[in-house]
Amino acid sequence: MSVLVYINSQNGLHKAALEAVTYGKKLGEVTVITNGQADASLLASLGAYGASKVLVDRSVQSDDDQQLSNVISAAVTATGATTIVFSHDLIAKAVAPRLSVKLKAGLVSGAIALPAADGTVKVNVFSGKAFGVVKVNSASRIISLLPNSIQPEEVGGTATVEDFNGQAGEAKVTLKNTIKPEGDIPLPEAELVVSAGRGLKGPENWGMVEDLAKALGAATACSRPVADIGWRPHHEHVGQTGVAIRPNLYIAAGISGAIQHLAGVNGSKVIVVINTDAEAPFFKAADYGIVGDAFEVLPKLTEAVKKFKASH
Amino acid sequence: MKILVCISKAPDTTSKIAFTDGNTKFDENGVQYIVNPYDEWYALVRALEIKETSGGQVTIITVGSAADEAIIRKALAIGADEAVRIDADPKDAYYTATQIAEYAKTNGFDLILTGKETINYNGSQVAGMIAASLDFPLVSLASKLEVNGSTLTLEKEATNGLQIVEVSLPAVVSCAKGMAEQRIPNMRGIMAARTKPLTVIPAVAVEEMTSYVGYEMPAAKSACKMLTADQMDELVSLLHNEAKVI
Ligand SMILES: Cc1cc2nc3c(=O)[nH]c(=O)nc-3n(C[C@H](O)[C@H](O)[C@H](O)COP(=O)(O)OP(=O)(O)OC[C@H]3O[C@@H](n4cnc5c(N)ncnc54)[C@H](O)[C@@H]3O)c2cc1C
Ligand SMILES: Nc1ncnc2c1ncn2[C@@H]1O[C@H](COP(=O)(O)O)[C@@H](O)[C@H]1O
């Protein structure tokens, strides 16, 4: 089966792109389609994850959804692909639905596993509180894979890189400016996250959260009230109405664990909760818990992490 | 300016999530439905603010059954002028989006607003599909929206930060946090909502490109291991050796 994988290569190859290629490889022969100015040698390195060919449309610099859906659909025609794979990021959320209508291909968004033997695909629903099993009725299908659902696998091949003209057309949305986020690690992609809530009492106490994050190489996050009262920037707010994340490790200090907060973090592989209240609901969702004062526990944990890093 | 706001229902965020009929149907027993928060707090309220400053009309549309009229009245009470219900089970995003696009085609809207996603299916599909069917540009996950004549200036989340973009009307915009503040309907709004027009129209025939054939609950978490503040070296070693996450 011919599989087309769209990846965003504008700011280097992220882990999510390697996951999507690995996912595609398990379904068939992978052609990657991308856009922008990434070095051919960088794109060729996708061969190691199973891509046979990389098509790159260098005329499309932005992530305009109309242009990208034109380019991807041209690549579908060129390769005869019947399965198209995206990483379920902000680009896929705009482009995949448009492509689905254009190609009349059923869209499975938020897939968390490979298709089962009967072709059905498992997805996250109810903000991570359950899984749905989706059957695609159309001849072609589009699967948008939730980041951190499978691990990239090196299979050791090489990929040819070809320039591709996907007849993108004009962008109708004009990009005026980009404001880069302050944090070093974008939250949705972070594998380790340190998060804190109202229990931290005030913005002046976030130094100890940042120290732990720095020691671990983690991103920082917060509960909604903390962003609402302006202690932390809005892009750090996780939960039902904020960002949904699925890191390998989520450390929550001074967060009660309200259901709306859990909705954004319950896909995390491992959860550590630090709370003075032994009855805090978050402990029910946690793997490791410390009943204690964040002001004491966070610095101690940071020291322990530093000691561990120094000896490993 | 004629604005169409797409409204869907969603189970109240504290609802117990369970399934019946051999895990093929969502168990609606005891479930309270609300207006999907993104649709209500951000899309609808921003539409009303635009109308208040620049004039125009705000129509809400939902694809759903008669039971959904409670959430339609809520949206009318917040301030929408009129409502349309397409009488059908919103089977999948493509089905839903096509119904809305067909209605929009014959009724000429300048701006179509949706929420960022429904909190039950979290698909983020409907907005892009409406835009594709109408061949309108889409700005997804917008956190700010300003109108200058026939041009919109928006702030949206992108993979490399926040983008400021411009687009000419007509356009589709999916709305995320930041766009507006929640409004609580007042008594006058609730009374007025009772007499505002609610038009029910039949669905058009559309194939179902995807179907939900079953549901599963995640495996129960094993009991939480408790440690004290003085056992942080143990915690780090558990995270390394047992959980294998650092
Ligand atoms: C529709 C809706 C959507 C929502 N969406 C979101 C969302 O997306 N994300 C979100 O986070 N919330 C969301 N909320 C709000 C949510 O219900 C909670 O109110 C919120 O998560 C609570 O934040 P918190 O845990 O930081 O604060 P609190 O509930 O005030 O909890 C503070 C916790 O810190 C503990 N604590 C106090 N002092 C210390 C100390 N020194 N050391 C350690 N622990 C301490 C306390 O025991 C307590 O458990 C939403 C609510 C609604 C109604
Ligand atoms: N049944 C529906 N009727 C009207 N609008 C809907 C319906 N379902 C979804 N929408 C709109 O599409 C948005 C995205 O939904 P989804 O693609 O399911 O995440 C929602 O926030 C609504 O604005």
Side-chain angles (χ1 to χ4, degrees):
Chain A
M1 189 187 355
S2 172
V3 178
L4 186 71
V5 178
Y6 171 77
I7 66 156
N8 169 23
S9 58
Q10 307 264 47
N11 310 296
L13 295 181
H14 288 242
K15 179 163 169 267
L18 307 181
E19 292 169 2
V21 173
T22 297
Y23 188 93
K25 178 64 183 170
K26 292 187 185 288
L27 297 174
E29 163 107 28
V30 172
T31 303
V32 167
I33 174 80
T34 187
N35 62 297
Q37 300 306 325
D39 279 350
S41 59
L42 182 73
L43 297 176
S45 71
L46 290 169
Y49 297 89
S52 319
K53 196 195 282 180
V54 180
L55 302 174
V56 49
D57 190 328
R58 301 209 177 269
S59 73
V60 182
Q61 305 288 348
S62 70
D63 46 19
D64 185 84
D65 62 300
Q66 276 175 309
Q67 289 187 312
L68 286 180
S69 67
N70 288 339
V71 169
I72 298 167
S73 109
V76 168
T77 309
T79 56
T82 49
T83 298
I84 301 118
V85 178
F86 286 86
S87 172
H88 196 51
D89 62 7
L90 295 164
I91 296 179
K93 285 180 183 177
V95 177
R98 200 178 269 279
L99 192 67
S100 166
V101 172
K102 202 174 163 89
L103 301 175
K104 283 275 179 327
L107 168 58
V108 184
S109 58
I112 55 162
L114 284 161
D118 64 1
T120 58
V121 185
K122 222 194 248 193
V123 299
N124 241 6
V125 289
F126 295 99
S127 306
K129 282 176 252 175
F131 307 121
V133 180
V134 181
K135 179 168 158 272
V136 178
N137 307 316
S138 52
S140 296
R141 60 182 175 182
I142 304 174
I143 301 176
S144 191
L145 174 69
L146 268 192
N148 221 4
S149 295
I150 65 168
Q151 286 303 307
E153 274 173 34
E154 289 202 46
V155 292
T158 52
T160 55
V161 179
E162 287 173 22
D163 281 339
F164 181 75
N165 179 355
Q167 308 287 345
E170 291 287 299
K172 287 200 210 156
V173 179
T174 334
L175 177 60
K176 291 286 174 189
N177 194 9
T178 304
I179 306 160
K180 300 259 190 273
E182 295 139 44
D184 297 335
I185 306 167
L187 194 48
E189 286 176 22
E191 292 188 14
L192 308 174
V193 175
V194 181
S195 185
R198 217 145 45 175
L200 269 270
K201 315 271 190 280
E204 66 282 6
N205 300 322
W206 245 263
M208 53 189 175
V209 178
E210 280 163 357
D211 288 346
L212 175 59
K214 206 154 164 217
L216 280 167
T220 50
C222 67
S223 67
R224 175 167 150 198
V226 160
D228 282 351
I229 38 188
W231 293 357
R232 298 298 292 174
H234 270 303
H235 64 79
E236 282 198 359
H237 151 203
V238 291
Q240 182 139 48
T241 42
V243 189
I245 55 171
R246 325 174 69 230
N248 291 338
L249 174 62
Y250 184 72
I251 301 179
I255 302 179
S256 55
I259 193 153
Q260 297 90 357
H261 184 84
L262 293 179
V265 302
N266 56 10
S268 310
K269 294 218 170 73
V270 173
I271 295 178
V272 175
V273 168
I274 303 161
N275 199 304
T276 40
D277 176 7
E279 301 298 316
F282 219 150
F283 285 116
K284 292 206 178 64
D287 300 278
Y288 302 101
I290 299 111
V291 177
D293 186 345
F295 291 74
E296 179 193 353
V297 178
L298 285 175
K300 282 189 172 159
L301 180 52
T302 306
E303 281 319 305
V305 169
K306 282 188 183 153
K307 217 158 71 187
F308 168 80
K309 293 271 173 180
S311 63
H312 278 77
Chain B
M1 164 124 78
K2 276 183 79 180
I3 309 176
L4 183 65
V5 181
C6 305
I7 299 283
S8 58
K9 69 170 178 191
D12 174 14
T13 51
T14 56
S15 301
K16 186 171 165 359
I17 305 301
F19 302 96
T20 57
D21 293 18
N23 277 339
T24 58
K25 271 209 188 75
F26 176 56
D27 184 359
E28 297 197 311
N29 221 325
V31 170
Q32 273 277 20
Y33 280 100
I34 56 169
V35 184
N36 186 45
Y38 296 104
D39 310 355
E40 179 191 323
W41 303 355
Y42 308 134
L44 176 59
V45 176
R46 190 69 193 118
L48 296 173
E49 288 170 356
I50 294 169
K51 179 193 147 178
E52 283 154 13
T53 53
S54 345
Q57 163 142 340
V58 176
T59 305
I60 52 168
I61 187 164
T62 196
V63 180
S65 68
D68 298 347
E69 292 191 0
I71 66 134
I72 295 176
R73 292 289 172 203
K74 166 102 192 275
L76 288 171
I78 294 170
D81 298 303
E82 57 160 5
V84 174
R85 177 171 69 82
I86 298 178
D87 189 25
D89 175 22
K91 296 188 186 83
D92 76 339
Y94 178 71
Y95 182 91
T96 305
T98 309
Q99 302 299 336
I100 296 171
E102 283 305 313
Y103 175 80
K105 254 175 218 166
T106 47
N107 289 279
F109 291 93
D110 304 298
L111 177 60
I112 301 179
L113 299 181
T114 76
K116 158 186 160 177
E117 64 182 21
T118 43
I119 61 170
N120 37 357
Y121 289 101
N122 311 106
S124 289
Q125 299 188 19
V126 169
M129 289 178 172
I130 296 173
S133 300
L134 296 171
D135 198 25
F136 283 8
L138 164 74
V139 177
S140 61
L141 306 186
S143 46
K144 285 207 174 90
L145 185 170
E146 298 300 333
V147 186
N148 324 297
S150 63
T151 308
L152 301 181
T153 304
L154 304 112
E155 182 181 286
K156 63 169 275 203
E157 274 181 75
T159 47
N160 58 346
L162 277 178
Q163 294 182 344
I164 312 292
V165 301
E166 260 179 32
V167 66
S168 296
L169 295 172
V172 179
V173 176
S174 81
C175 305
K177 187 184 159 126
M179 173 91 49
E181 295 288 333
Q182 181 180 15
R183 282 190 188 177
I184 311 292
N186 58 23
M187 209 51 214
R188 234 180 83 221
I190 295 167
M191 297 301 286
R194 293 192 184 150
T195 54
K196 285 181 180 171
L198 193 173
T199 316
V200 179
I201 57 176
V204 294
V206 178
E207 72 266 37
E208 204 181 321
M209 288 210 290
T210 59
S211 345
Y212 277 85
V213 293
Y215 297 92
E216 289 171 25
M217 295 302 287
K221 274 255 174 198
S222 53
C224 176
K225 266 195 193 155
M226 300 307 289
L227 297 128
T228 67
D230 295 319
Q231 292 178 303
M232 288 305 102
D233 290 324
E234 282 91 330
L235 176 61
V236 169
S237 117
L238 284 168
L239 291 175
H240 179 64
N241 297 315
E242 185 179 75
K244 298 190 171 35
V245 289
I246 60 172

